[in-house]
Amino acid sequence: MRKLFKFSNQNRVASKWDSFHTESDFWVIPEVKADWDYKISGNLNVTYEEYVAKKYLNPTSKLTLLSIGCGEGLHERNFAKQFHFSKIIGIDISSESIKNAISFAESEHLKIDYLAGDFTKMNFQNQKFDVILFDSSLHHFEKLKSFLKNNINPLLSKDGIVVVFEYCGPNRLQWRPSQLKKINQILSNLPESYRILPNTNWIKRKAYRPGILRMFLVDPSEAPDSENLQKALHENFEIVEETKLGWTIIQPLFKNIAHHFVNNKPETKKLIRYILDEEASFVRETNENDAIFGIYKKLNQL
């Protein structure tokens, strides 16, 4: 059994992601992922990697891509399949994730360089990248305004783009009272059979904010400055495009019950559509949006 206490924040973060596996978070639901694809590309069957490659990248150029917080490497592989990159680098603090990423890339005969370690301590020796990717990783960094200015801007080529698919909601996942009220209203309308927690007979009856102390102990990197993420991007880069993805309702609501929504039953499909529609209405009415997809480029004065 892994120890909960570690000697450093970095060790705690690495330990959390080395052992992290999920079968019951909102991103495992195919209809949820398709909804994001539609919001970004206008097509349920076009991933954001394909959309970005076709709209913004020149396939005849010797392109370079840096993925920060790459996990097991899905998104680098997706980009690599669009057309040839002269170099793709993926970095993650979890050595286990990097081992898996290397294995997956090799099995698909893709040349991707993967590095395990703390990105902020790596020396890129004046390298520049045409694409810098953050997929659910930027919100794990602190002091985002200075992080983007000092650590990301210098690595971006003159005409390069930063691609962001990110949580930008309340710091440390401390959900707003308004969203908790809406989430719990929706939760109460779901059949109990869809609210049973994994490997138990317990029924999820209410969504809560996660405990701050436990968050610090398990993963001190979780959303320390997330509510400033969008502002930090705007202050450091020019917006090319930006799309609201929601997550305001679905992230807390589906936590620990998402596995009930991965099937082809008509009732399940109807419930998913109901939840996605309720979130879309809530975001429109309140302007409370907890995730964005964005493309950004260097400011003219930089």
Side-chain angles (χ1 to χ4, degrees):
M1 181 177 180
R2 293 182 180 273
K3 293 181 179 179
L4 185 61
F5 292 91
K6 294 288 179 179
F7 290 108
S8 71
N9 284 353
Q10 181 176 335
N11 285 341
R12 289 206 297 274
V13 175
S15 177
K16 186 268 175 82
W17 293 105
D18 278 348
S19 59
F20 180 78
H21 297 283
T22 183
E23 61 178 20
S24 202
D25 280 298
F26 66 121
W27 58 78
V28 305
I29 302 171
E31 287 83 1
V32 167
K33 292 188 285 187
D35 184 67
W36 299 337
D37 289 338
Y38 183 78
K39 287 174 179 175
I40 294 168
S41 69
N43 189 321
L44 292 170
N45 300 309
V46 174
T47 66
Y48 78 73
E49 297 94 341
E50 182 180 355
Y51 169 74
V52 170
K54 289 182 176 179
K55 187 171 182 178
Y56 293 107
L57 303 181
N58 182 352
T60 63
S61 300
K62 293 182 178 180
L63 296 170
T64 56
L65 183 150
L66 174 65
S67 177
I68 301 167
C70 65
E72 296 187 338
L74 170 65
H75 305 289
E76 302 84 70
R77 297 196 303 276
N78 285 349
F79 269 111
K81 292 171 186 175
Q82 300 307 313
F83 46 72
H84 176 71
F85 283 78
S86 63
K87 179 182 289 186
I88 297 178
I89 298 176
I91 299 170
D92 201 274
I93 200 166
S94 165
S95 59
E96 290 299 316
S97 293
I98 290 297
K99 287 178 184 177
N100 291 334
I102 292 171
S103 177
F104 290 139
E106 288 177 347
S107 70
E108 297 184 41
H109 307 289
L110 299 172
K111 188 181 184 315
I112 302 173
D113 297 321
Y114 285 108
L115 304 171
D118 183 344
F119 163 75
T120 62
K121 297 178 181 178
M122 293 183 178
N123 185 355
F124 290 90
Q125 300 178 335
N126 299 317
Q127 290 185 71
K128 301 288 184 181
F129 295 90
D130 300 301
V131 181
I132 298 179
L133 172 64
F134 290 98
D135 188 296
S136 300
S137 57
L138 181 57
H139 73 274
H140 284 277
F141 290 91
E142 298 180 336
K143 300 177 181 178
L144 287 172
K145 181 179 178 180
S146 60
F147 170 74
L148 291 170
K149 178 181 179 181
N150 299 325
N151 297 85
I152 303 305
N153 254 319
L155 294 177
L156 188 64
S157 67
K158 180 182 176 181
D159 297 316
I161 57 174
V162 177
V163 180
V164 166
F165 183 95
E166 278 296 336
Y167 171 76
C168 61
N171 290 354
R172 307 290 180 187
L173 311 185
Q174 297 302 292
W175 315 119
R176 308 173 196 87
S178 54
Q179 72 184 119
L180 282 173
K181 180 179 179 181
K182 183 64 176 180
I183 291 162
N184 288 319
Q185 174 193 327
I186 296 171
L187 195 61
S188 69
N189 291 332
L190 301 181
E192 287 192 351
S193 59
Y194 284 84
R195 293 188 279 135
I196 300 172
L197 302 180
N199 304 313
T200 73
N201 292 319
W202 295 352
I203 295 171
K204 181 173 181 175
R205 301 191 183 280
K206 198 170 184 180
Y208 300 91
R209 297 184 184 96
I212 287 287
L213 178 58
R214 178 166 178 79
M215 291 193 68
F216 273 107
L217 292 175
V218 175
D219 183 2
S221 79
E222 185 59 75
D225 194 30
S226 51
E227 59 196 42
N228 290 316
L229 185 147
Q230 200 169 3
K231 181 181 178 183
L233 285 165
H234 295 175
E235 291 176 344
N236 279 283
F237 301 101
E238 180 182 337
I239 304 169
V240 178
E241 66 171 86
E242 195 172 75
T243 301
K244 293 178 181 179
L245 297 178
W247 301 18
T248 317
I249 302 301
I250 62 172
Q251 184 172 5
L253 186 145
F254 281 125
K255 182 69 177 176
N256 292 324
I257 61 171
H259 58 290
H260 295 298
F261 295 84
V262 186
N263 61 63
N264 291 316
K265 296 177 182 177
E267 180 186 23
T268 303
K269 304 297 185 184
K270 185 176 179 180
L271 287 172
I272 294 170
R273 189 69 263 162
Y274 159 67
I275 293 166
L276 290 174
D277 288 345
E278 286 292 303
E279 176 177 81
S281 296
F282 183 82
V283 172
R284 283 196 304 270
E285 293 167 6
T286 65
N287 203 32
E288 294 181 14
N289 173 69
D290 284 359
I292 56 168
F293 170 82
I295 307 287
Y296 309 88
K297 65 181 182 179
K298 278 183 174 289
L299 292 169
N300 290 332
Q301 66 266 31
L302 295 179

